[in-house]
Amino acid sequence: METRARTWVKAIGWQVLGIAVMTLLGVLVTGSVGAGGTLALASAGLGLITYVLYERLWARITWGRLPGPSGTGDI
């Protein structure tokens, strides 16, 4: 299991990349940097929360993990 801080840092890094990609896509579709940026920020906010919840849920599931030093995990 990883710490909450690590989960948040991973999520924020992923979202920064996602914002850049979504802004570019929004600009290409709408022709407007403002509209593309707004779409990207709304998507990133929702995506960030969804990703963190998803990661924390999977952190509780032991299926498919190899045993570590603590001897936990399901093979």
Side-chain angles (χ1 to χ4, degrees):
M1 190 158 165
E2 61 186 39
T3 64
R4 290 183 194 275
R6 179 180 163 87
T7 301
W8 277 103
V9 169
K10 285 173 47 183
I12 291 168
W14 176 252
Q15 285 306 311
V16 168
L17 179 61
I19 287 171
V21 171
M22 285 297 295
T23 298
L24 178 61
L25 181 61
V27 169
L28 292 174
V29 170
T30 67
S32 166
V33 174
T38 299
L39 176 63
L41 289 175
S43 175
L46 183 58
L48 176 64
I49 293 166
T50 304
Y51 176 78
V52 169
L53 293 173
Y54 182 79
E55 281 286 316
R56 298 311 292 180
L57 174 67
W58 269 101
R60 295 172 184 246
I61 298 171
T62 59
W63 173 82
R65 287 187 182 172
L66 296 175
S70 65
T72 60
D74 218 11
I75 296 181

